């Protein structure tokens, strides 16, 4: 029996495993980097061990340090979570060689499935559906589009879609570099890209006694950058024939490799050919299926399967590692049939409107109302939250951008969509730009409501519509008005010397007080006045019924709306006002009346779109470049981002250096027209402007 488990991971998956361990009476150990020293998952563990450094390659990917930590802390088992070393056969073998219990499949099974190339060969040997691969040297224009994939790992890292033959060499190089950074293996391969297919996966769990359970299926078609955003179980809209074919293929490869533990077999399902196949074969012939890969670990989206089956997949992983049977561990002879429908959304620290650029910052508030379960199975229809962050958590550049997963389980799919959308709209998340607006747009879209429309291209096709701000312009005026009035009330309450002066007092009574807020890329100016000590909007369409530093009630056309207001950063020079209303949360930055000259940058400056590490610099100072040429490659949250020249010109200044860290907005380079000089010096040359280098 396992007594103490070390989780070789971080964030929400570490917290998820700790929750099951606590329920089973198993002690827990966390390992953490310096960047994660104060993270919630470290506090959740009974004990913790520091891994010096911040980058994954120096910490969570160091198998020797993780095993040494287990020995030091007295752990007798290691759970790898997902990502990092979870699918590293050498790590699994080293854990066993150290006399520890490995909570996962055998090293041989991991190695067999770890290479997507080898996995496809094994699936073919098991009689399953496999698509063909291409030799990069033989790819022609007729083969396009193709996709370059990392042979190891997953999560969209080391993956590039190529639609122009000229882009293939660069895609191979970048995918290999990204894969090496994320997984320690730069091997990539090329195959045809099925543009209109769905991404459907099958959950399997197998014990050491020859029993294999197929624990339902999931649809994960809604993706950005080949990373899943929305997942649901069961996969909606599949015919019986297609579902049976998927389950049989998954069961077949488990038997083929002698797999044990929890795993996921992933497929592309092309429903466009269903009618054609039915006419050829008669009856329900099912859709066209192509095997993608097998993930030899727990999946990020496992909570939706747990919701509809009532199983604890982490508990089953531990039971299998202890040598028990699935029936004994679960208390049932067969996997439960799915009940109802579950949908999960991944909440990311990213900006969908800016090509999903990762975002950093400190989470000032994070609340999801109505949550029935955290990191565990629901006992009734409702909401589950698995979160890696809490109020006060710093979100940095070193790790994945996912903050949390919100899961709704309801009697049917439509009810789950409505429940989840309502929860997201009432959620409070301040301090970090996220994809909340995008998630709301997806859940409210008719195309998502219709399972027939699902495909891996759907999100990209509808991104502009779905990522539009959910708080309309007129509502934003009300939010900004609430922010301005609450701010004025707070300033008056916090300044004793002004106690006898009415809030919003002006010695030029004919003019209202104004404050300007920055909201995304726009600015909103709000005017308000004070009459006999009472604050009111200058906008005649809005009436202030209640004004307090933390709550404002505004009335428009007889309808009263309450807004919660939180003000922060007033003494630090970067004041933000967070407003929560019926349409969601909105963060407004107070625009200073005077601009610091040190904040000005030269015309033609290329700025870092997010805090990141500089992977490489492709140019030199004084070099002539053309529009579209690569200038700098950045890496943030395990994804690489290419910064290209916006116009022809000369690199008149070069601030970025390979291996350095840059803050969002930092000047990377200045490109000017030939024989011209920059208008001003770059911000990085101004006093105190290079503080981001120490991030």
């Amino acid at each position: 029996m396992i007594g103490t488990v070390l989780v070789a991971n971080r964030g929400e998956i570490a917290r998820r495993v700790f929750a099951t361990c606590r329920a089973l009476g198993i002690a827990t150990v966390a390992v953490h980097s310096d960047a994660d020293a104060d993270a919630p998952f470290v506090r959740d563990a009974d004990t913790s061990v520091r891994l010096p450094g911040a980058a994954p390659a120096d910490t969570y990917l160091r198998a020797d340090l993780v095993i040494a930590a287990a020995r030091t802390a007295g752990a007798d088992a290691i759970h790898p979570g997902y990502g990092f070393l979870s699918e590293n056969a050498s790590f699994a073998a080293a854990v066993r060689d150290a006399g520890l219990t490995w909570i996962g499949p055998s090293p041989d099974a991991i190695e067999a499935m770890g290479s997507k190339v080898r996995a496809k060969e094994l699936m073919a040997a098991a009689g399953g559906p496999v698509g063909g691969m291409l030799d990069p040297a033989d790819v022609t224009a007729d083969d396009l589009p193709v996709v370059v994939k990392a042979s190891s790992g997953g999560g969209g890292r080391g993956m590039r879609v190529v639609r122009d033959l000229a882009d293939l060499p660069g895609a191979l190089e970048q995918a290999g570099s990204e894969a090496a950074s994320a997984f320690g293996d730069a091997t990539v391969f090329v195959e045809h890209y099925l543009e209109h297919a769905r991404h459907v996966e099958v959950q399997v769990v197998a014990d050491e006694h020859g029993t294999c359970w197929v624990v339902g299926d999931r649809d994960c078609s809604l993706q950005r950058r080949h990373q899943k955003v929305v997942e649901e179980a069961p996969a909606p809209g599949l015919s019986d024939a297609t579902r049976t074919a998927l389950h049989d293929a998954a069961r077949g490869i488990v038997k083929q490799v002698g797999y044990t533990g929890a795993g996921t077999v992933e497929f592309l399902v092309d429903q466009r050919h269903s009618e054609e196949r039915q006419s050829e074969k008669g009856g329900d012939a099912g859709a066209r299926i192509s095997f993608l890969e097998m993930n030899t670990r727990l999946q990020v989206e496992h909570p939706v399967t747990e919701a509809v089956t009532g199983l604890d997949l982490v508990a089953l992983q531990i039971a299998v590692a202890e040598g028990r049977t699935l029936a004994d561990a679960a208390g049932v002879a067969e996997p439960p049939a799915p009940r109802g429908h579950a949908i999960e959304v991944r909440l990311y620290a990213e900006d969908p409107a800016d090509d999903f650029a990762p975002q950093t910052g400190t989470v000032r508030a994070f609340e999801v109302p109505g949550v029935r379960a955290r990191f565990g199975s629901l006992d009734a229809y409702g909401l589950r939250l698995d979160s890696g962050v809490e109020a006060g958590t710093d979100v940095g550049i070193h790790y994945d951008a996912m903050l949390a997963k919100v899961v709704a389980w309801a009697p049917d799919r439509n009810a789950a969509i409505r429940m989840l959308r309502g929860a997201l709209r009432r959620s409070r998340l301040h301090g970090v730009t996220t994809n909340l607006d995008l998630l709301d747009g997806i859940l409210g879209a008719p195309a998502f409501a219709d399972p027939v429309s699902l495909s891996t291209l759907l999100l990209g096709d509808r991104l502009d519509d779905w990522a539009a701000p959910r708080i309309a312009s007129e509502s934003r005026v009300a939010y900004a008005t609430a922010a301005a009035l609450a701010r004025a009330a707070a300033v008056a309450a916090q300044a004793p010397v002004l106690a006898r002066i009415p809030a919003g007092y002006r010695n030029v009574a004919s003019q209202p007080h104004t404050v300007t807020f920055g909201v995304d890329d726009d600015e909103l100016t709000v005017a308000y006045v004070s009459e006999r000590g009472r604050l009111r909007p200058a906008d005649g369409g809005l009436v202030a019924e209640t004004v307090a530093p933390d709550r404002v009630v505004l009335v428009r056309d007889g309808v009263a709306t309450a807004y919660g207001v939180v003000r922060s950063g007033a003494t630090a020079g970067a004041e933000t006002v967070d407003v929560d209303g019926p349409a969601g949360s909105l963060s407004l930055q107070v625009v200073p009346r005077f601009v610091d000259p040190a904040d000005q940058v030269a015309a033609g400056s290329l700025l870092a779109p997010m805090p990141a590490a500089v992977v490489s610099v492709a140019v030199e100072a004084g070099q002539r470049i053309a529009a579209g040429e690569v200038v700098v490659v950045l890496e943030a949250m395990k994804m690489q981002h290419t910064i290209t020249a916006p116009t022809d010109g000369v690199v008149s200044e070069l601030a970025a250096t390979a291996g350095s860290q840059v803050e969002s907005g930092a000047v990377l380079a200045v490109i000017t027209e030939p024989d011209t000089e920059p208008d001003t010096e770059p911000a990085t040359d101004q006093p105190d402007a290079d503080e981001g280098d120490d991030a």
Side-chain angles (χ1 to χ4, degrees):
M1 298 289 288
I2 292 172
T4 303
V5 169
L6 179 146
V7 177
N9 220 294
R10 63 177 302 278
E12 61 86 20
I13 184 55
R15 304 185 80 188
R16 165 70 189 92
V17 176
F18 292 154
T20 288
C21 288
R22 283 194 298 270
L24 296 176
I26 298 173
T28 57
V29 181
V31 288
H32 67 85
S33 67
D34 291 337
D36 279 337
D38 297 321
F41 79 91
V42 179
R43 297 195 297 270
D44 281 0
D46 296 322
T47 56
S48 62
V49 179
R50 172 180 174 245
L51 303 178
D58 299 327
T59 54
Y60 300 106
L61 288 172
R62 284 284 302 273
D64 56 335
L65 297 183
V66 172
I67 293 173
R71 286 172 166 162
T72 300
D76 56 351
I78 290 181
H79 191 297
Y82 53 71
F84 294 131
L85 295 168
S86 63
E87 294 180 281
N88 187 306
S90 297
F91 177 55
V95 169
R96 291 186 171 187
D97 290 344
L100 304 172
T101 298
W102 168 252
I103 303 176
S106 69
D108 289 343
I110 295 175
E111 185 173 9
M113 293 292 100
S115 165
K116 293 181 176 67
V117 175
R118 176 63 176 151
K120 288 176 179 292
E121 294 171 350
L122 290 167
M123 176 60 85
V130 179
M133 290 184 293
L134 302 168
D135 185 331
D138 296 333
V139 174
T140 67
D142 293 336
D143 294 317
L144 300 175
V146 298
V147 59
V148 180
K149 292 183 180 179
S151 184
S152 301
R157 298 169 190 86
M159 189 170 178
R160 295 288 189 278
V161 175
V162 177
R163 302 180 186 280
D164 187 325
L165 202 57
D167 295 335
L168 182 57
L172 289 165
E173 181 180 353
Q174 282 202 335
S177 173
E178 197 168 86
S181 175
F183 316 117
D185 181 1
T187 305
V188 297
F189 66 96
V190 179
E191 65 181 2
H192 288 290
Y193 181 55
L194 300 180
E195 296 204 78
H196 300 284
R198 290 173 60 181
H199 187 130
V200 180
E201 60 191 31
V202 178
Q203 177 70 60
V204 296
V205 188
D207 61 27
E208 296 177 352
H209 305 275
T211 300
C212 173
W213 281 3
V214 171
V215 193
D217 44 66
R218 302 182 285 255
D219 186 286
C220 308
S221 299
L222 272 291
Q223 303 176 4
R224 97 284 188 267
R225 286 184 171 171
H226 313 293
Q227 286 188 313
K228 301 160 188 172
V229 177
V230 181
E231 302 106 340
E232 52 185 314
L238 295 182
S239 68
D240 291 341
T242 298
R243 203 178 303 273
T244 298
L246 290 168
H247 291 194
D248 288 347
R251 190 179 292 106
I253 199 165
V254 167
K255 297 291 185 181
Q256 181 73 19
V257 298
Y259 190 87
T260 58
T264 303
V265 189
E266 303 195 352
F267 302 89
L268 288 178
V269 177
D270 190 348
Q271 292 181 304
R272 294 179 305 161
H273 300 280
S274 297
E275 294 182 1
E276 174 187 338
R277 286 163 59 83
Q278 287 175 21
S279 64
E280 291 176 353
K281 298 186 177 182
D284 184 3
R288 183 168 295 171
I289 300 170
S290 178
F291 169 68
L292 274 175
E293 61 181 314
M294 182 176 185
N295 288 302
T296 55
R297 53 171 168 81
L298 203 64
Q299 289 283 89
V300 178
E301 57 272 20
H302 76 275
V304 292
T305 296
E306 293 185 325
V308 298
T309 63
L311 296 173
D312 184 328
L313 293 177
V314 174
L316 292 183
Q317 285 184 297
I318 293 172
V320 170
E322 291 178 329
R324 300 164 60 196
T325 66
L326 292 174
D328 173 58
V332 292
E334 298 289 339
R339 294 185 301 120
H341 198 88
I343 302 178
E344 170 185 296
V345 292
R346 300 190 190 186
L347 191 57
Y348 284 105
E350 64 184 15
D351 186 358
D354 186 19
D355 195 27
F356 297 100
Q359 303 293 302
T360 61
T362 299
V363 178
R364 295 190 292 270
F366 183 35
E367 298 174 8
V368 179
V371 170
R372 294 181 60 95
R374 296 176 185 270
F375 307 106
S377 298
L378 289 157
D379 57 3
Y381 293 130
L383 295 170
R384 166 176 167 174
L385 175 66
D386 287 17
S387 170
V389 302
E390 297 173 347
T393 300
D394 289 325
V395 180
I397 68 170
H398 297 289
Y399 312 116
D400 189 85
M402 191 176 73
L403 303 176
K405 304 176 302 194
V406 187
V407 183
W409 177 41
D412 57 57
R413 188 170 186 263
N414 288 336
I417 291 173
R418 182 168 60 185
M419 180 190 298
L420 186 53
R421 192 181 188 202
L424 294 179
R425 288 203 161 201
R426 295 191 300 273
S427 296
R428 296 178 64 240
L429 178 52
H430 304 156
V432 184
T433 300
T434 71
N435 63 336
L436 261 174
D437 283 358
L438 173 62
L439 297 176
D440 182 73
I442 292 171
L443 295 173
F448 177 71
D450 180 9
V452 175
S453 300
L454 296 178
S455 81
T456 55
L457 285 185
L458 184 59
L459 177 53
D461 290 344
R462 306 297 178 90
L463 180 61
D464 290 343
D465 293 335
W466 291 355
R470 56 181 168 167
I471 301 177
S473 298
E474 182 178 280
S475 296
R476 288 189 172 211
V477 171
Y479 274 73
T481 300
L485 296 179
R487 178 174 178 267
V491 169
Q494 293 171 359
V497 71
L498 302 178
R500 296 189 179 185
I501 301 177
Y505 173 80
R506 292 182 67 88
N507 57 3
V508 183
S510 63
Q511 296 297 319
H513 187 82
T514 62
V515 59
T516 300
F517 297 104
V519 186
D520 298 329
D521 294 329
D522 297 326
E523 289 190 352
L524 287 173
T525 299
V526 176
Y528 61 91
V529 297
S530 176
E531 295 179 343
R532 299 178 182 177
R534 290 178 58 87
L535 292 164
R536 70 167 180 82
D539 175 6
L542 287 170
V543 177
E545 184 175 278
T546 302
V547 177
D550 60 350
R551 186 172 185 269
V552 173
V553 178
L554 299 177
V555 180
R556 183 189 292 274
D557 298 330
V559 178
T561 304
Y563 299 89
V565 184
V566 179
R567 179 170 170 248
S568 60
T571 59
E575 185 180 352
T576 299
V577 184
D578 297 309
V579 184
D580 298 295
S585 299
L586 191 66
S587 291
L588 304 103
Q589 287 71 45
V590 178
V591 177
R593 295 180 181 274
F594 303 100
V595 178
D596 188 337
D599 292 334
Q600 297 180 352
V601 297
S605 295
L606 295 184
L607 307 181
M610 78 290 286
V614 179
V615 176
S616 62
V617 178
V619 298
E620 296 178 353
Q623 178 179 332
R624 288 178 176 269
I625 59 173
E629 285 191 39
V630 176
V631 178
V632 176
V633 177
L634 304 177
E635 182 171 281
M637 296 179 177
K638 300 195 287 185
M639 299 291 288
Q640 290 192 357
H641 309 267
T642 301
I643 309 299
T644 59
T647 185
D648 296 348
V650 173
V651 181
S652 57
E653 299 283 349
L654 186 60
T657 57
S660 65
Q661 302 283 334
V662 294
E663 285 294 320
S664 178
V667 175
L668 302 173
V670 179
I671 299 175
T672 58
E673 295 180 5
D675 302 322
T676 64
E677 295 295 331
D679 295 335
T680 63
E681 292 294 317
T684 48
D685 290 335
Q686 298 289 343
D688 300 324
D690 60 348
E691 294 176 353
D693 291 343
D694 295 328

